[in-house]
Amino acid sequence: MNNLREVNDDILKDWLMFREDDLCSLTCDEDRKHFVYFDEISERILKNVPEQNKKYVKKQLDLLDENFMDYICYWNEKYYRNGFCD
């Protein structure tokens, strides 16, 4: 989570980091049901890409994964920060 605002003694940041670790552990069936299996999906895509295009497609998939994670982190932080301010 590299896009959190810099705040001294940021309890929300600590909580979001904890939640990220907790959610990534997939502790229950419901968590596994809604997890984004990006690595597995990427592997399946790459298996069906011609060899000369694999490097490019892998780079684009990695950028998509990074962008998606930044997007999720940004909106989680925005949602929770605004919620706690209310």
Side-chain angles (χ1 to χ4, degrees):
M1 296 176 73
N2 57 3
N3 60 347
L4 293 177
R5 287 185 274 159
E6 291 298 322
V7 178
N8 292 335
D9 298 324
D10 192 351
I11 296 169
L12 179 60
K13 180 179 176 181
D14 294 341
W15 184 82
L16 288 171
M17 297 290 257
F18 166 76
R19 289 295 298 147
E20 179 182 5
D21 291 342
D22 186 46
L23 289 175
C24 287
S25 67
L26 303 177
T27 56
C28 69
D29 289 338
E30 190 67 20
D31 291 347
R32 285 185 283 281
K33 179 180 168 185
H34 297 286
F35 187 72
V36 177
Y37 292 96
F38 191 83
D39 292 336
E40 291 85 350
I41 294 167
S42 293
E43 283 180 30
R44 288 193 301 252
I45 291 170
L46 288 170
K47 283 182 181 179
N48 292 292
V49 171
E51 195 63 40
Q52 66 268 23
N53 297 336
K54 280 190 182 189
K55 187 176 180 180
Y56 173 77
V57 173
K58 181 172 179 6
K59 183 178 179 182
Q60 296 306 307
L61 287 168
D62 291 343
L63 287 171
L64 178 63
D65 184 33
E66 184 179 319
N67 182 253
F68 183 70
M69 291 306 293
D70 285 344
Y71 170 83
I72 289 172
C73 292
Y74 170 79
W75 284 105
N76 276 338
E77 180 189 7
K78 185 173 182 171
Y79 171 79
Y80 285 110
R81 277 204 196 281
N82 290 331
F84 286 132
C85 290
D86 291 341

